[in-house]
Amino acid sequence: MRKFDPDRPWDLTTLPTTMAPKGSKPHAPTDDRCFLGAGDVPAAPKLQEAVATIKNWFRASSLNVLAFGTGCGAIELRPLSTSRFDMSRFGISGAPSPRQANVFIISGYLSTKTLKRVIRSYEQMPNPKWVVALGSCTINGGMYWDSYNTIKVLDLYMPVDVYITGCMPRPEALIAGFDYLMQDIKKGEANGWHHYLENLEWYRDNQKKVITDWDLPNYSW
Amino acid sequence: MFDFNHSNLDENGNPGAEIVSRIHDRFGNFPVHVQKPDLIRLNVPQTDIIPLLSWLRTETPFVQLTHLTAIDWLEEDEFELVYLITAPSLCISLMVCIRVNREKAEAESVFNLWLQAETYEQELHEMFGIHFPGSPRQGVPFILEGWQDMPPMRRDFDTVEYCNRTHPERPGREHHDSRIYVGRKFGEKGYLK
Ligand code: SF4
């Protein structure tokens, strides 16, 4: 990787854009520049800040929601994305595959069996990515608080950027939630994905406690 | 195959009377309960279930296994298996019920009569722990993954205890017993005060 050159501060290729989880290697040789390694020299702070602000501003208006419904709340995503509430007004659109998405809406209760698929999909999404948790089931178990098969606290298993209360929240509530998410992204505070990579072991421990037949790779690239 | 049709009504206009009398002639006097004109319940001893079902399947219009499920009679220490057998040409269903011991829960498989029974039996094995010897996919996980506790649909499985043990709760959640909460808010009779 090219080191930061103070004489060429406009050279943005030296800025780290994504991180690898601690202690893990990407499965294919990639451009080193994508990963923050020990030898990296950060760009000049002022410039870095300015670039980050611009990037975040762009990111906030390009949200692609993964087509993955887990609970009852998934039914609210249809009116949200189609003519009546039309989320594309806000620069939000749908994406069919985790490789092309950057927002994951956990739309309600999450059974341990689905949790495994959710983790797998979440890790496959490119950074930066955000998680919106919809409904009281994701917050404290909701009406499924005594179900043997659903988790109760979502943020033990994956980082959550925005919680939306309600059972079930209406599309307007979702739009309000997206509004908060966009503000957070613009301020550079929606860093759940960063937190996930830094605390991957803690998340893994929690995940393995409920997924008893664990057969996922160390990290689903 | 003898003919059944809607003209075989008894004096109450009950179209299932014909099949009930045939079953009684052939297999003995099982208790019969007509729940609805088109839904007849038969309580059958466990040993008679395979002869009865194969006779229904091969020689009568009752050719379709609509459902196979179980009921847990914990107090009587028994499982009740319910086979819902339908005659599509007559629009009548028979609920054939047998009782199996709860400790050694085992019943004969009807996989040879209806292939789809395989899935029902797989599910009953997983959810109730009832074993069907000879049925394929017994013990292969169906809905649960990596389940290590007792089958969750048995009534002595303590869901709340299991849930508190496995799924941590967020501190600060309040529980309201709905009967007390609604009573306090809406008065004894459920009207708004
Ligand atoms: S919060 Fe309500 S609507 Fe949403 S998944 Fe849970 S029960 Fe369903």
Side-chain angles (χ1 to χ4, degrees):
Chain A
M1 160 182 178
R2 221 148 9 108
K3 294 278 185 281
F4 173 70
D5 181 358
D7 297 335
R8 291 157 44 87
W10 57 87
D11 184 1
L12 301 184
T13 56
T14 54
L15 292 181
T17 50
T18 59
M19 285 172 65
K22 258 193 219 152
S24 79
K25 293 260 181 305
H27 61 67
T30 352
D31 191 349
D32 262 2
R33 154 161 59 88
C34 294
F35 301 100
L36 188 61
D40 288 2
V41 180
K46 276 265 167 57
L47 177 71
Q48 208 175 10
E49 208 173 289
V51 171
T53 312
I54 296 169
K55 272 188 181 172
N56 286 336
W57 186 75
F58 284 137
R59 282 171 183 158
S61 37
S62 151
L63 300 179
N64 289 269
V65 179
L66 177 61
F68 193 123
T70 62
C72 339
I75 206 73
E76 297 293 331
L77 299 181
R78 278 80 201 174
L80 181 67
S81 59
T82 49
S83 60
R84 175 130 188 235
F85 293 98
D86 191 13
M87 66 184 182
S88 54
R89 289 181 291 160
F90 305 98
I92 310 166
S93 59
S97 129
R99 303 271 186 218
Q100 297 150 8
N102 59 6
V103 177
F104 203 146
I105 299 184
I106 307 293
S107 51
Y109 60 83
L110 199 53
S111 71
T112 50
K113 194 172 173 176
T114 319
L115 178 64
K116 195 159 139 187
R117 280 77 184 164
V118 164
I119 291 166
R120 186 132 204 180
S121 313
Y122 175 72
E123 289 177 0
Q124 285 179 5
M125 285 161 55
N127 290 330
K129 53 196 168 187
W130 302 280
V131 177
V132 177
L134 191 60
S136 46
C137 281
T138 53
I139 299 171
N140 57 13
M143 63 185 267
Y144 292 97
W145 65 276
D146 62 348
S147 158
Y148 60 87
N149 214 14
T150 57
I151 58 154
K152 286 195 266 192
V153 183
L154 180 60
D155 47 23
L156 291 178
Y157 310 102
M158 53 196 302
V160 179
D161 294 294
V162 175
Y163 274 113
I164 302 173
T165 57
C167 177
M168 61 183 45
R170 281 186 54 83
E172 291 96 326
L174 256 160
I175 293 175
F178 272 117
D179 205 31
Y180 280 113
L181 179 64
M182 287 174 187
Q183 287 172 19
D184 277 0
I185 294 173
K186 282 181 196 158
K187 281 188 264 168
E189 286 170 7
N191 287 327
W193 58 278
H194 211 285
H195 191 262
Y196 186 72
L197 294 178
E198 281 184 337
N199 302 292
L200 190 67
E201 280 158 32
W202 183 80
Y203 281 110
R204 274 284 182 272
D205 278 353
N206 287 339
Q207 291 162 359
K208 284 180 186 172
K209 269 181 213 154
V210 289
I211 305 177
T212 40
D213 62 334
W214 180 267
D215 54 1
L216 296 187
N218 287 339
Y219 193 83
S220 308
W221 284 100
Chain B
M1 190 179 284
F2 46 78
D3 25 301
F4 281 100
N5 54 50
H6 283 293
S7 60
N8 291 338
L9 304 178
D10 66 358
E11 58 274 21
N12 299 326
N14 194 342
E18 168 80 11
I19 182 70
V20 171
S21 70
R22 299 264 181 171
I23 291 175
H24 277 169
D25 288 350
R26 209 179 164 98
F27 295 95
N29 272 332
F30 307 137
V32 173
H33 175 63
V34 181
Q35 310 218 158
K36 287 192 289 180
D38 56 353
L39 184 64
I40 300 157
R41 179 191 172 101
L42 293 170
N43 292 335
V44 179
Q46 199 183 351
T47 44
D48 274 349
I49 184 74
I50 295 295
L52 173 63
L53 290 185
S54 22
W55 175 75
L56 284 173
R57 168 82 173 83
T58 49
E59 293 185 30
T60 71
F62 289 83
V63 291
Q64 178 187 320
L65 175 69
T66 307
H67 198 43
L68 165 55
T69 188
I71 302 164
D72 187 355
W73 297 103
L74 180 62
E75 293 79 7
E76 295 159 35
D77 205 19
E78 277 177 338
F79 283 121
E80 182 167 24
L81 284 180
V82 183
Y83 299 79
L84 191 66
I85 316 286
T86 306
S89 56
L90 303 177
C91 300
I92 307 177
S93 298
L94 286 182
M95 269 164 64
V96 186
C97 307
I98 59 170
R99 295 282 185 128
V100 299
N101 191 318
R102 216 164 162 284
E103 300 308 314
K104 191 178 169 299
E106 205 173 277
E108 277 187 76
S109 168
V110 293
F111 167 69
N112 291 330
L113 298 173
W114 291 280
L115 290 186
Q116 75 268 33
E118 172 188 26
T119 308
Y120 291 119
E121 288 167 354
Q122 182 186 9
E123 189 184 18
L124 286 179
H125 186 264
E126 182 173 280
M127 287 295 178
F128 287 92
I130 303 173
H131 184 47
F132 295 88
S135 174
R137 302 212 307 256
Q138 286 287 288
V140 180
F142 180 48
I143 294 172
L144 305 174
E145 271 184 355
W147 186 258
Q148 289 158 350
D149 220 283
M150 86 158 54
M153 286 290 164
R154 288 195 174 215
R155 271 174 60 211
D156 46 359
F157 172 72
D158 189 343
T159 322
V160 177
E161 187 272 328
Y162 175 85
C163 191
N164 290 340
R165 178 155 43 88
T166 358
H167 305 309
E169 188 152 298
R170 190 186 296 282
R173 182 186 161 118
E174 275 180 50
H175 289 277
H176 293 292
D177 183 332
S178 48
R179 196 178 308 155
I180 297 172
Y181 183 75
V182 172
R184 203 187 307 136
K185 195 154 184 194
F186 295 99
E188 283 278 293
K189 293 191 175 146
Y191 305 128
L192 199 56
K193 263 185 201 157

